[in-house]
Amino acid sequence: MEFAWQSRIIDQNKHRPNDNRSPWQVDRSRIIHAAAFRRLQAKTQIMGIGLNDFHRTRLTHSLEVSQIGSGLLRHLEKQHPDFTHFPDPSLLETLCLAHDIGHPPYGHGGEIALNYMMREHGGFEGNAQTLRIVSKLEPYSDGHGMNLTRRTLLGFIKYPAFINDLWHTIPHHDPLRAYIKADDWRPAKGLYKDDQETFDWIIAPLSSTDKQRLGQFNVIDEFRSKTNFKSLDAAIMELADDIAYAVHDLEDAIATEQITLKEWQNHALPALAQVECDWLVHSQLTERLFLGSEAHRKDVIGELVNLFITQSSIINTEIGFENPILNHTVTLAPCYQHLLDTLKSFIYQRLIRASHMQQIEFKGQKLIIELFEAFACEPLRLLPETTANIFRHVQQQNGNTQRVICDYLSGMTDEYAFKTHQRLFSSNN
């Protein structure tokens, strides 16, 4: 079974004399050298705060997620010495480094725009795009992306069901209304039906019962459903991402004065008062974040990261999966999960949802819709040659040509998308 998880969808027979890397180390190398990974340096982690050399990009965020993920894995291995199904450190590092490469330009604004434009063609979602990039789009192999190992690909799948099934009510948009309503077009989190062949290959070693259970989902609102399960590897990566988002993005927001002491006192402290956590009582959190030196802030940020890492553990899902990497997941002690959720909620409500941030997202959303409409109008005229050739091939196969346009736009950096829009629409050029 272990051999099956190390296998790749095609055997490329690369000439690498004396290459003593493990399969997981090869995967990590392919991620690091991928163009999609390098593009993360041109995408800010939080829209609108790239005003100085301190702010985090999606690249530096991914490096921090990788560092936190490695810390989680070391802690969990020490805490559970008899558990033999942990991911290899290089495998987990690969997942953490590449978890954001599917995110489009302009953050959630771009994601909403692409999902709207793909509403009749399978939708768009950042995590689904990550799998598509590593398994199909990145030009390392002929049509199979980076040709990564099966277990690595499984680790990228946070939502193992198809958007077509999860997005059960697609909203109606009145074409006479100039702009779309963002909340109507937030994507269902799943995979593209276009990538079903890849997904079927990834889960092939699982039993039929495990395959059925893995794809289970529940309705969460009038539009969407959400999957219930993921692999242990994906769960560790997701927790590392949550910690980086809650802690390091908070650090960025304070350092760039996007969040003030007054906002913290008015909105964060009342919520934190509801968290029963011994560390909070003695942490002097407010003073060290806002009133001390940068060294004090760095120190308390490090404490928070260490706190979440050391309060994590592996549990049995009690669902009865036959495969152990599905039947186990990572969890935080309830009070520390409450603390993490509170910090995440504060960042989301006071920073991400702030009006000036939403205005930036709205601008990007509008820009991406206009780009999509232009390329969809005359794709073979406007798309660059390589993408136009892909479009022509998919068209000949009666495939989903709109996905080709979506792939092209989602791979852009913010600046490249802006310059392309200027070239197409600005009268100043």
Side-chain angles (χ1 to χ4, degrees):
M1 177 63 75
E2 186 60 31
F3 175 77
W5 291 112
Q6 292 183 17
S7 64
R8 303 178 190 277
I9 198 166
I10 56 171
D11 186 0
Q12 293 177 281
N13 294 316
K14 296 288 185 181
H15 182 62
R16 301 288 189 271
N18 303 314
D19 188 350
N20 58 10
R21 294 175 299 171
S22 71
W24 322 118
Q25 291 170 329
V26 170
D27 284 355
R28 181 183 59 189
S29 297
R30 293 181 182 182
I31 289 293
I32 289 172
H33 294 291
F37 179 67
R38 293 195 299 275
R39 289 190 193 103
L40 293 175
Q41 67 187 308
K43 299 181 180 183
T44 51
Q45 170 65 3
I46 300 176
M47 295 298 298
I49 67 167
L51 306 175
N52 55 38
D53 60 2
F54 180 88
H55 73 279
R56 285 173 167 85
T57 65
R58 284 201 182 273
L59 179 61
T60 55
H61 165 76
S62 297
L63 293 172
E64 287 171 336
V65 173
S66 177
Q67 179 72 11
I68 293 169
S70 296
L72 280 167
L73 183 58
R74 286 194 301 271
H75 166 74
L76 294 169
E77 287 177 330
K78 187 173 182 180
Q79 190 183 47
H80 304 275
D82 298 328
F83 186 75
T84 59
H85 303 285
F86 283 115
D88 180 271
S90 293
L91 187 162
L92 185 64
E93 188 176 352
T94 297
L95 299 180
C96 292
L97 287 173
H99 76 282
D100 262 355
I101 64 174
H103 281 255
Y106 296 102
H108 293 296
E111 187 174 50
I112 286 165
L114 290 174
N115 191 47
Y116 167 69
M117 295 305 296
M118 292 295 291
R119 61 195 180 279
E120 297 177 1
H121 307 283
F124 177 86
E125 198 270 327
N127 296 286
Q129 194 68 19
T130 293
L131 178 68
R132 185 167 173 81
I133 289 169
V134 299
S135 66
K136 186 168 291 186
L137 300 181
E138 191 68 22
Y140 186 85
S141 66
D142 186 14
H144 296 287
M146 302 181 198
N147 193 29
L148 303 178
T149 57
R150 181 183 262 120
R151 181 164 175 175
T152 297
L153 291 176
L154 180 65
F156 280 116
I157 301 174
K158 291 168 63 174
Y159 310 103
F162 295 108
I163 290 174
N164 298 54
D165 300 320
L166 299 169
W167 200 8
H168 50 78
T169 305
I170 298 177
H172 170 72
H173 173 65
D174 182 356
L176 298 178
R177 196 173 73 197
Y179 306 110
I180 64 171
K181 185 178 179 181
D183 283 343
D184 286 350
W185 300 100
R186 298 194 185 281
K189 295 182 179 296
L191 303 172
Y192 304 141
K193 201 71 173 175
D194 295 319
D195 297 326
Q196 180 164 1
E197 186 177 343
T198 301
F199 180 61
D200 289 345
W201 179 82
I202 293 170
I203 64 173
L206 301 177
S207 69
S208 57
T209 302
D210 276 3
K211 290 177 184 176
Q212 187 274 326
R213 286 175 176 159
L214 183 61
Q216 289 178 358
F217 53 83
N218 294 324
V219 175
I220 57 171
D221 60 31
E222 60 181 306
F223 300 121
R224 310 163 194 86
S225 296
K226 187 175 181 180
T227 57
N228 299 325
F229 307 111
K230 58 179 67 68
S231 71
L232 172 63
D233 308 352
I236 297 174
M237 175 264 284
E238 185 175 44
L239 177 57
D241 189 25
D242 283 350
I243 294 170
Y245 173 80
V247 179
H248 289 304
D249 288 4
L250 173 65
E251 179 187 8
D252 252 14
I254 294 171
T256 56
E257 299 181 348
Q258 295 289 314
I259 287 179
T260 64
L261 173 59
K262 184 177 181 180
E263 279 187 296
W264 175 264
Q265 291 172 329
N266 290 342
H267 301 282
L269 292 185
L272 289 170
Q274 305 302 312
V275 179
E276 296 182 4
C277 171
D278 290 340
W279 179 84
L280 273 177
V281 176
H282 308 289
S283 67
Q284 295 182 305
L285 183 57
T286 300
E287 291 79 0
R288 295 163 74 189
L289 283 176
F290 289 92
L291 304 178
S293 65
E294 184 177 343
H296 286 109
R297 185 169 62 236
K298 284 284 185 186
D299 192 44
V300 75
I301 290 294
E303 275 187 39
L304 274 168
V305 172
N306 179 71
L307 184 73
F308 291 129
I309 288 174
T310 57
Q311 295 300 318
S312 65
S313 59
I314 295 294
I315 60 168
N316 190 300
T317 63
E318 299 182 354
I319 300 301
F321 283 104
E322 297 170 30
N323 189 293
I325 65 173
L326 298 182
N327 205 41
H328 295 82
T329 192
V330 63
T331 187
L332 282 177
C335 60
Y336 294 101
Q337 184 64 58
H338 189 187
L339 174 59
L340 182 64
D341 291 342
T342 300
L343 292 175
K344 283 175 58 182
S345 178
F346 173 71
I347 285 289
Y348 180 75
Q349 295 297 334
R350 305 309 305 173
L351 186 62
I352 306 301
R353 295 295 294 178
S355 61
H356 65 287
M357 293 292 187
Q358 289 303 302
Q359 289 169 12
I360 294 171
E361 279 197 8
F362 177 85
K363 181 178 180 180
Q365 172 187 307
K366 177 176 178 290
L367 183 148
I368 296 298
I369 288 175
E370 290 177 351
L371 281 179
F372 201 116
E373 289 175 337
F375 285 113
C377 178
E378 290 200 74
L380 297 180
R381 177 188 177 194
L382 298 178
L383 287 170
E385 183 179 2
T386 302
T387 308
N389 289 337
I390 296 171
F391 185 97
R392 192 176 288 109
H393 173 74
V394 172
Q395 190 176 47
Q396 291 169 352
Q397 301 295 317
N398 294 317
N400 187 356
T401 54
Q402 300 303 291
R403 182 65 65 193
V404 178
I405 298 172
C406 185
D407 289 340
Y408 174 61
L409 293 177
S410 69
M412 293 179 172
T413 63
D414 302 1
E415 183 178 6
Y416 188 81
F418 176 75
K419 288 182 176 179
T420 302
H421 188 271
Q422 288 285 98
R423 195 160 53 243
L424 286 169
F425 295 104
S426 176
S427 59
N428 296 324
N429 291 350

